[in-house]
Amino acid sequence: GGIITQTPKFLIGQEGQKLTLKCQQNFNHDTMYWYRQDSGKGLRLIYYSITENDLQKGDLSEGYDASREKKSSFSLTVTSAQKNEMAVFLCASSIEVTNTGQLYFGEGSKLTVL
Amino acid sequence: GDSVTQTEGLVTLTEGLPVMLNCTYQSTYSPFLFWYVQHLNEAPKLLLKSFTDNKRPEHQGFHATLHKSSSSFHLQKSSAQLSDSALYYCALSDDTGNYKYVFGAGTRLKVIA
C-alpha cells in the first residue's frame, strides 16, 4: 500500500501572506489533485496534474498557484491569504489514466488566516 | 456541467435504525458514482463505487445501487452503528477523460445510542 503525506498539518498565516502546502505520494500515481474542503460546500477542485510538470486549473483556481516538479509531489500556494479565511486543503492522487478509478486522499492541511 | 446533490447537512439516527443518505446527479455522459467516508481527523476514503453492470456494490454493510432512470446512487445500510458516525460524500466522474471528479456538499451522519 501507499500513503499521501501533506505538510504542514496546520498552517497559520497573516493577511496578504504567500503560503505553501506540500503533498507527497508514494503510490507512483500519475494524477494528483488539490481540493478545498469547506463545511456545507463539499470538495472543490483547485488544481490537478495528470503528469510531472503538467498543471490544470480546477473550478477554484483563482488566488492559488500549483507546482508539480516531480511525479511524487504536488504543491499548492495561496498567493495572498485572505483575513478570516479558514479551510482544509486535501491532496489526492489516482492511478487511473481516465477518471473512473478511486481517489486516495491525504489527511489534510488546515489553514487559518489571522 | 456535471453536478451532485446530497441529503443536506446533518442526519441523526439512533443505533440500530436503517441508514439512507440520498445522492442524485446530473451528467451528460456515462457516469461513475462513488461514496467516500471521512471520519473525524482522518482522510476521506472510498466506501463504494458503482459498477458498469447492474451489480450492487457493498462494503462494511453499506450498499448503493446506481439507478440511471432516476439519476440516483443512494447509500443504504440496514442497521446503523455508532462507528458509522462520519462525513459522507457522493462523487461523480465520467469516461470522457477530463480527469475531474465532482463532489456533493457532504452529509454528516451522527449515530446515537
Side-chain angles (χ1 to χ4, degrees):
Chain A
I3 190 169
I4 292 185
T5 303
Q6 292 187 232
T7 56
K9 286 193 83 145
F10 300 95
L11 183 57
I12 300 175
Q14 301 291 327
E15 185 181 19
Q17 194 175 1
K18 180 186 285 190
L19 302 166
T20 297
L21 306 172
K22 294 185 185 296
C23 176
Q24 294 270 348
Q25 54 100 355
N26 63 0
F27 288 102
N28 199 35
H29 287 169
D30 287 309
T31 312
M32 295 186 73
Y33 302 80
W34 276 106
Y35 285 91
R36 176 175 164 135
Q37 181 178 34
D38 294 278
S39 179
K41 294 184 180 178
L43 304 184
R44 293 180 289 172
L45 183 63
I46 306 172
Y47 267 96
Y48 65 102
S49 166
I50 62 175
T51 189
E52 185 178 326
N53 292 319
D54 174 75
L55 290 175
Q56 307 283 340
K57 291 184 178 181
D59 300 321
L60 207 66
S61 61
E62 189 171 336
Y64 302 95
D65 285 329
S67 173
R68 181 99 183 268
E69 293 174 355
K70 291 192 300 184
K71 185 176 182 178
S72 62
S73 65
F74 193 30
S75 62
L76 180 73
T77 297
V78 181
T79 56
S80 179
Q82 300 299 303
K83 192 171 176 65
N84 299 323
E85 181 174 6
M86 183 181 294
V88 174
F89 294 86
L90 290 169
C91 178
S93 71
S94 175
I95 191 172
E96 298 283 339
V97 294
T98 62
N99 52 321
T100 58
Q102 71 177 89
L103 292 171
Y104 295 83
F105 285 91
E107 292 186 351
S109 295
K110 186 171 183 178
L111 171 67
T112 303
V113 182
L114 302 176
Chain B
D2 293 348
S3 67
V4 175
T5 303
Q6 292 186 235
T7 302
E8 290 186 7
L10 174 66
V11 172
T12 303
L13 283 175
T14 302
E15 190 179 17
L17 289 182
V19 178
M20 180 150 166
L21 304 183
N22 289 340
C23 173
T24 56
Y25 64 89
Q26 286 189 315
S27 178
T28 307
Y29 304 100
S30 294
F32 291 84
L33 275 294
F34 304 82
W35 277 100
Y36 286 87
V37 58
Q38 185 180 24
H39 288 93
L40 194 61
N41 298 322
E42 293 184 9
K45 57 186 178 185
L46 180 71
L47 183 60
L48 292 172
K49 175 188 170 183
S50 65
F51 287 102
T52 52
D53 55 22
N54 290 324
K55 289 182 187 173
R56 186 180 82 168
E58 295 192 30
H59 185 63
Q60 296 179 342
F62 286 95
H63 62 269
T65 302
L66 179 62
H67 291 288
K68 292 188 178 181
S69 58
S70 58
S71 299
S72 66
F73 192 57
H74 304 320
L75 183 67
Q76 296 178 271
K77 187 176 183 182
S78 59
S79 175
Q81 297 176 286
L82 295 175
S83 58
D84 294 331
S85 295
L87 182 58
Y88 292 80
Y89 287 107
C90 184
L92 164 75
S93 70
D94 58 49
D95 57 1
T96 60
N98 67 12
Y99 297 95
K100 290 187 179 181
Y101 296 78
V102 176
F103 284 81
T107 303
R108 187 167 295 281
L109 176 65
K110 182 178 179 181
V111 182
I112 58 176

